[in-house]
Amino acid sequence: MRFIPTELKDAHIIELEPREDNRGFFARVWAKDEFAEHGLVDRVVQMNLSYNRLAGTLRGMHFQHAPYAETKLVRCIRGAIYDVIIDLRPDSPTYKRWIGVTLTAANRLALYVPEGFAHGFQTLEDDTEVFYQVSQYYTPSAEGGVRYDDPAFGIEWPLPVTEMSEKDKRWPLFNG
């Protein structure tokens, strides 16, 4: 795996290093020791799958409050997403900045989302599936979020929003 730092402190894009032959290829998608060597959280306690029927579906912007803050490794295994993270750590040099990364089944990239970041995505194709590895169990009482269209961040989504949960529509504007 190749660990590519992003412009947001501690966030990385993970590229596969496939070993190819006439059958296709084989590649590691996660290795505890390699994540630890790069100073990344190497704990995985839960894996999640999100299926999304329509292009334009938006999920986010989510996080969990301490002591249940989580890291995520996000990969699109079918279709395509525009994956967005926002650094919400007040003492970070990239506080309140965001990036968007296109993750597709074809490019096989993953995005490492550190603790203290909000995360969300918009599907770019119908019938898209997203696979997450997370460092903490989902804890409803620790759930938090910010609005996907909050002017404090100015996220530029690639498509009009076609589907979104009522809960995601009600996240508050950021007041940090």
Side-chain angles (χ1 to χ4, degrees), residues 50-61:
S50 168
Y51 170 73
N52 306 274
R53 288 183 183 86
L54 299 175
T57 298
L58 197 141
R59 295 182 186 256
M61 299 295 299

Side-chain angles (χ1 to χ4, degrees), residues 29-106:
V29 297
W30 189 86
K32 181 179 179 68
D33 60 341
E34 289 187 50
F35 275 73
E37 286 169 14
H38 286 86
L40 306 180
V41 173
D42 61 2
R43 171 185 156 106
V44 174
V45 301
Q46 185 172 303
M47 297 182 205
N48 305 315
L49 181 67
S50 168
Y51 170 73
N52 306 274
R53 288 183 183 86
L54 299 175
T57 298
L58 197 141
R59 295 182 186 256
M61 299 295 299
H62 306 143
F63 60 87
Q64 286 195 162
H65 294 281
Y68 305 102
E70 61 188 353
T71 61
K72 297 178 182 177
L73 184 62
V74 182
R75 182 179 305 279
C76 183
I77 59 171
R78 181 178 179 193
I81 63 171
Y82 186 66
D83 205 26
V84 173
I85 57 176
I86 308 168
D87 187 348
L88 296 180
R89 303 170 299 174
D91 44 353
S92 170
T94 57
Y95 179 56
K96 295 196 324 186
R97 288 183 37 205
W98 67 274
I99 61 166
V101 178
T102 300
L103 305 179
T104 71

Side-chain angles (χ1 to χ4, degrees), residues 71-173:
T71 61
K72 297 178 182 177
L73 184 62
V74 182
R75 182 179 305 279
C76 183
I77 59 171
R78 181 178 179 193
I81 63 171
Y82 186 66
D83 205 26
V84 173
I85 57 176
I86 308 168
D87 187 348
L88 296 180
R89 303 170 299 174
D91 44 353
S92 170
T94 57
Y95 179 56
K96 295 196 324 186
R97 288 183 37 205
W98 67 274
I99 61 166
V101 178
T102 300
L103 305 179
T104 71
N107 73 19
R108 297 184 178 95
L109 297 175
L111 182 60
Y112 175 84
V113 184
E115 290 182 13
F117 279 60
H119 170 255
F121 64 84
Q122 185 178 46
T123 58
L124 302 176
E125 298 178 10
D126 291 347
D127 296 316
T128 291
E129 293 185 19
V130 182
F131 183 76
Y132 304 70
Q133 294 168 248
V134 295
S135 65
Q136 289 288 344
Y137 294 104
Y138 171 63
T139 307
S141 63
E143 189 175 51
V146 295
R147 286 184 56 92
Y148 75 100
D149 59 353
D150 192 321
F153 309 115
I155 298 169
E156 297 172 14
W157 298 99
L159 300 174
V161 175
T162 57
E163 298 290 330
M164 176 184 255
S165 73
E166 288 303 315
K167 180 169 64 172
D168 284 351
K169 291 176 185 175
R170 290 192 301 268
W171 289 121
L173 292 175

Side-chain angles (χ1 to χ4, degrees), residues 1-3 12-16 35 73 108-110 112:
M1 290 175 285
R2 282 186 285 261
F3 293 76
H12 290 76
I13 295 169
I14 312 298
E15 267 186 351
L16 299 181
F35 275 73
L73 184 62
R108 297 184 178 95
L109 297 175
Y112 175 84

